[in-house]
Amino acid sequence: MVIMGSDTLSAALADLRDRVAATCFPLDLPGAVQARLARRELIEQLDDYVLPRLAVPRAPLLAVVGGSTGAGRSTLLNALVGRAVTAVGSVRPTTRVPVLVCRSGDRHWFAADTAIALRLDERVPPGLALLDVPDIDSVSADNRRVAVRLLGAADLWVFVVSAARYADAAPWHLLRLARDRNTRLAIVLSRVPAESADPVRADFVRLLRQAGLGDVPLYPIVEVEPGAGLPERNVVPIRTWLAERGADPDARAAVVRRTLGGLLHSLDRRVPPLAQAVERQYEAAGHTRDCVDRAYAVAARWASRALGDGSLLRGAAAGRWREGDADGAARGVRESLDALLADAFARGAERSWGCAPYDGAPRLRPAPVVWPDAGEPLALIAAVGGLGTEPGVGRDAAGLLGTRIGVESAARLILGVRRGLRAELAAALDAERGRRAAAVAVVPGRADVGLIEALDLVRRSA
Ligand SMILES: Nc1nc2c(ncn2[C@@H]2O[C@H](COP(=O)(O)OP(=O)(O)O)[C@@H](O)[C@H]2O)c(=O)[nH]1
Ligand SMILES: [Mg+2]
């Protein structure tokens, strides 16, 4: 039961809407595409229909005249009003800008919107506003989208299907949607050839029953000569059906209750899968983060050990040192540091391969790093040589530096350079870890979303 104008319900729905808007499904997991679509539809319906309708329960009923290209929607709308308020055309798509027709006294209910042309006419039945929308099967995707959105914003639908094309898929998809949402609906079978009116109608009714729409009011309109107006005997019943719906506040409230109730009811079906999709994203993001964190932590530990065990002083650096070329040896150390970092990157990449499949590939090569050496090649050489505790090049360099600037100053300098090297290594690996996990950083936490709690609140308020 929908309590019209209930502030609690409006507040609960606004909260649900914001929570739905806060979801995102950036990871290409199974079901993510559907979740993105369902999210958008839900937000649009809440924004376009449910929330505005609850805010102004006494506004006129919005009746949309929808249907496929050339079905004769605009022709029908003009016949309903009794005047050419909207363009009829054989060039498709005929209805580009939606046209809203209402009585002048009802104009204030409709916000000025440049995307909709407003026509005032006192012949519109009281309590109603009629809306001519683009074709649901328009060649233009934008038009199709506008049409479906406007159908979603309406209290009731007059859905026009032409006798020539009633078997097409496009109208049935929307008719089933209306059925599932319990939208108040009348169906017009237009342009029925007079000579085959009975079999065409019978076949259409059979399809309606099959689609679970057997009890929807059906209004056939016979095909007329080009330029001739639609027969009043066909139009009057449609006008009457509409007029009855808008006639008085109770009748209007009944329509709104039904359409709004149908939409609210559909939330029970639509919100839980969204919550599950959020959960799947959350779990996948957590798994990715853990795996990437572990991979780069292992790589960082390995690099840190290699930095201090003298292994960087083997090879080219040692050779140049033995030739008495300290600057050359320091250059060799820097080359070894580059190789060490590249190796650490490769280790991190290897361990995290496949655990962040939604992100870009891991980088095997780090960006170039400027290694600290405090302007003193001896300090750099000693810093990667274990502070003189191991025999060899590093110890020699530390000893030489000690005799030059004093043992204490040398130790301080070497320690500082070593700290700097460690920090550079850690920062480079950490940046790569962050880059690898960046794609999942936007996935909201499970508790932040609270869709089911918000849905429960809507249920309790409705
Ligand atoms: N001969 C004939 N033409 C019609 C009939 N109904 C609509 N049309 C024409 O079909 C074309 C499309 O009609 P329109 O109302 O613009 O269709 P819409 O695209 O659904 O709005 C126009 O040229 C109309 O004049 C009819 O009963 N007989
Ligand atoms: Mg039209």
Side-chain angles (χ1 to χ4, degrees):
M1 179 64 196
V2 180
I3 303 161
M4 298 286 294
S6 148
D7 288 346
T8 342
L9 179 58
S10 290
L13 281 164
D15 176 54
L16 176 66
R17 183 241 174 256
D18 289 346
R19 288 174 190 277
V20 171
T23 62
C24 63
F25 310 93
L27 311 183
D28 289 327
L29 302 170
V33 173
Q34 292 89 320
R36 286 173 208 148
L37 199 69
R39 170 187 177 276
R40 199 185 68 197
E41 276 180 8
L42 206 50
I43 295 172
E44 283 180 358
Q45 267 168 23
L46 290 169
D47 285 352
D48 294 349
Y49 183 69
V50 178
L51 290 167
R53 197 18 121 180
L54 281 169
V56 285
R58 279 187 300 282
L61 291 182
L62 185 61
V64 72
V65 182
S68 15
T69 304
R73 290 158 298 141
S74 303
T75 305
L76 173 63
L77 181 61
N78 290 340
L80 285 169
V81 178
R83 176 169 81 91
V85 281
T86 181
V88 167
S90 46
V91 181
R92 275 141 207 185
T94 41
T95 308
R96 284 193 190 81
V97 176
V99 177
L100 179 77
V101 202
C102 70
R103 301 179 145 226
S104 50
D106 284 332
R107 148 182 227 156
H108 68 279
W109 292 109
F110 301 99
D113 185 340
T114 49
I116 295 183
L118 184 66
R119 308 261 190 282
L120 303 175
D121 200 299
E122 304 316 306
R123 278 167 287 189
V124 173
L128 283 178
L130 303 173
L131 184 64
D132 190 17
V133 299
D135 329 326
I136 52 153
D137 54 353
S138 168
V139 285
S140 142
D142 276 352
N143 272 351
R144 285 200 302 272
R145 222 176 106 61
V146 167
V148 171
R149 244 189 121 156
L150 289 171
L151 283 164
D155 293 299
L156 45 93
W157 296 8
V158 176
F159 203 88
V160 188
V161 188
S162 77
R165 297 187 51 198
Y166 66 78
D168 289 3
W172 292 101
H173 166 68
L174 282 165
L175 287 171
R176 273 187 223 102
L177 203 69
R179 177 201 64 197
D180 292 347
R181 306 233 173 110
N182 216 16
T183 302
R184 206 67 174 96
L185 170 73
I187 298 177
V188 174
L189 184 60
S190 70
R191 309 188 64 166
V192 182
E195 63 282 7
S196 55
D198 289 342
V200 168
R201 187 193 159 119
D203 189 47
F204 187 55
V205 167
R206 182 182 59 83
L207 292 181
L208 283 176
R209 290 213 182 100
Q210 265 175 21
L213 291 157
D215 54 355
V216 172
L218 171 63
Y219 299 103
I221 299 182
V222 294
E223 166 106 51
V224 293
E225 290 299 314
L230 297 182
E232 268 297 292
R233 71 190 147 79
N234 285 163
V235 176
V236 168
I238 306 170
R239 200 186 285 128
T240 308
W241 182 82
L242 281 168
E244 280 169 5
R245 309 267 104 53
D248 58 70
D250 285 348
R252 288 200 293 279
V255 171
V256 171
R257 238 194 327 272
R258 177 177 161 154
T259 298
L260 204 53
L263 271 166
L264 290 181
H265 197 68
S266 77
L267 296 178
D268 286 345
R269 224 180 24 245
R270 297 157 76 196
V271 174
L274 220 49
Q276 279 156 21
V278 167
E279 181 76 11
R280 274 198 292 277
Q281 295 270 324
Y282 174 83
E283 273 172 5
H287 170 74
T288 294
R289 251 190 307 265
D290 288 352
C291 167
V292 169
D293 283 355
R294 256 198 315 275
Y296 286 89
V298 169
R301 269 201 303 280
W302 172 83
S304 173
R305 241 192 333 269
L307 185 73
D309 69 5
S311 56
L312 300 183
L313 289 172
R314 291 178 201 125
R320 288 181 199 136
W321 177 261
R322 275 193 295 276
E323 289 157 13
D325 176 8
D327 287 333
R331 263 200 317 281
V333 168
R334 274 192 284 273
E335 282 155 19
S336 301
L337 282 164
D338 286 342
L340 171 70
L341 187 56
D343 204 350
F345 260 58
R347 283 166 192 256
E350 194 181 334
R351 282 186 161 266
S352 66
W353 214 282
C355 53
Y358 320 106
D359 188 9
R363 268 197 302 231
L364 297 176
R365 291 242 138 237
V369 168
V370 182
W371 302 106
D373 65 359
E376 174 51 82
L378 291 178
L380 177 63
I381 297 163
V384 299
L387 268 180
T389 48
E390 299 96 9
V393 179
R395 187 180 176 177
D396 295 349
L400 204 55
L401 190 63
T403 58
R404 278 204 203 145
I405 63 171
V407 174
E408 246 176 65
S409 303
R412 249 201 315 280
L413 193 58
I414 292 165
L415 262 175
V417 171
R418 183 184 271 199
R419 244 184 246 120
L421 293 176
R422 270 194 210 294
E424 284 297 331
L425 268 177
L429 285 163
D430 202 47
E432 175 65 359
R433 182 193 58 76
R435 194 190 70 84
R436 289 277 285 140
V440 303
V442 287
V443 175
R446 186 192 274 132
D448 305 344
V449 177
L451 285 178
I452 297 298
E453 293 76 359
L455 178 64
D456 280 344
L457 196 61
V458 168
R459 281 203 200 102
R460 283 201 302 274
S461 318

Short mmCIF file of all heavy atoms in Angstrom, two decimals, residues 73-75 86-89 94-95 132-133 135, ligand 2:
data_model
loop_
_atom_site.label_atom_id
_atom_site.label_comp_id
_atom_site.label_asym_id
_atom_site.label_seq_id
_atom_site.Cartn_x
_atom_site.Cartn_y
_atom_site.Cartn_z
N ARG A 73 0.91 7.53 -33.71
CA ARG A 73 0.78 8.09 -32.35
C ARG A 73 0.38 9.56 -32.41
O ARG A 73 -0.52 10.00 -31.71
CB ARG A 73 2.10 7.96 -31.58
CG ARG A 73 2.45 6.55 -31.22
CD ARG A 73 3.92 6.40 -30.96
NE ARG A 73 4.65 6.74 -32.17
CZ ARG A 73 5.76 7.40 -32.23
NH1 ARG A 73 6.32 7.82 -31.12
NH2 ARG A 73 6.35 7.66 -33.36
N SER A 74 1.11 10.32 -33.27
CA SER A 74 0.83 11.75 -33.33
C SER A 74 -0.55 11.99 -33.92
O SER A 74 -1.29 12.86 -33.45
CB SER A 74 1.90 12.45 -34.17
OG SER A 74 3.17 12.18 -33.60
N THR A 75 -0.90 11.17 -34.92
CA THR A 75 -2.24 11.28 -35.51
C THR A 75 -3.29 11.06 -34.42
O THR A 75 -4.28 11.80 -34.33
CB THR A 75 -2.40 10.22 -36.63
OG1 THR A 75 -1.34 10.38 -37.56
CG2 THR A 75 -3.73 10.36 -37.34
N THR A 86 0.52 18.30 -32.52
CA THR A 86 1.85 17.72 -32.75
C THR A 86 1.96 17.31 -34.21
O THR A 86 0.96 17.00 -34.86
CB THR A 86 2.10 16.53 -31.79
OG1 THR A 86 3.40 16.01 -32.03
CG2 THR A 86 1.09 15.41 -31.97
N ALA A 87 3.20 17.34 -34.72
CA ALA A 87 3.40 17.12 -36.16
C ALA A 87 3.20 15.66 -36.53
O ALA A 87 3.67 14.75 -35.85
CB ALA A 87 4.80 17.56 -36.55
N VAL A 88 2.50 15.47 -37.62
CA VAL A 88 2.31 14.13 -38.19
C VAL A 88 3.17 14.09 -39.41
O VAL A 88 3.29 15.08 -40.13
CB VAL A 88 0.82 13.95 -38.55
CG1 VAL A 88 0.61 12.74 -39.43
CG2 VAL A 88 -0.02 13.87 -37.30
N GLY A 89 3.79 12.97 -39.67
CA GLY A 89 4.64 12.99 -40.85
C GLY A 89 4.95 11.63 -41.40
O GLY A 89 4.94 10.64 -40.68
N THR A 94 9.26 10.78 -37.13
CA THR A 94 8.37 11.94 -37.22
C THR A 94 8.41 12.79 -35.96
O THR A 94 8.43 14.00 -36.03
CB THR A 94 6.93 11.47 -37.49
OG1 THR A 94 6.67 10.34 -36.69
CG2 THR A 94 6.73 11.15 -38.95
N THR A 95 8.42 12.14 -34.80
CA THR A 95 8.38 12.90 -33.55
C THR A 95 9.79 13.02 -33.00
O THR A 95 10.31 12.08 -32.42
CB THR A 95 7.46 12.21 -32.54
OG1 THR A 95 6.21 11.96 -33.16
CG2 THR A 95 7.26 13.06 -31.31
N ASP A 132 3.45 13.18 -26.37
CA ASP A 132 3.82 12.49 -27.61
C ASP A 132 5.33 12.30 -27.59
O ASP A 132 6.07 13.27 -27.47
CB ASP A 132 3.41 13.36 -28.81
CG ASP A 132 3.55 12.61 -30.13
OD1 ASP A 132 3.64 11.37 -30.11
OD2 ASP A 132 3.56 13.27 -31.19
N VAL A 133 5.79 11.07 -27.67
CA VAL A 133 7.23 10.80 -27.51
C VAL A 133 7.81 10.20 -28.79
O VAL A 133 7.07 9.73 -29.64
CB VAL A 133 7.49 9.86 -26.31
CG1 VAL A 133 6.99 10.48 -25.04
CG2 VAL A 133 6.87 8.50 -26.54
N ASP A 135 9.72 7.53 -31.34
CA ASP A 135 9.45 6.10 -31.57
C ASP A 135 10.31 5.23 -30.68
O ASP A 135 11.50 5.48 -30.55
CB ASP A 135 9.78 5.70 -33.02
CG ASP A 135 9.58 6.84 -34.00
OD1 ASP A 135 8.66 7.63 -33.76
OD2 ASP A 135 10.36 6.93 -34.96
MG MG B 2 4.80 11.12 -34.16
#
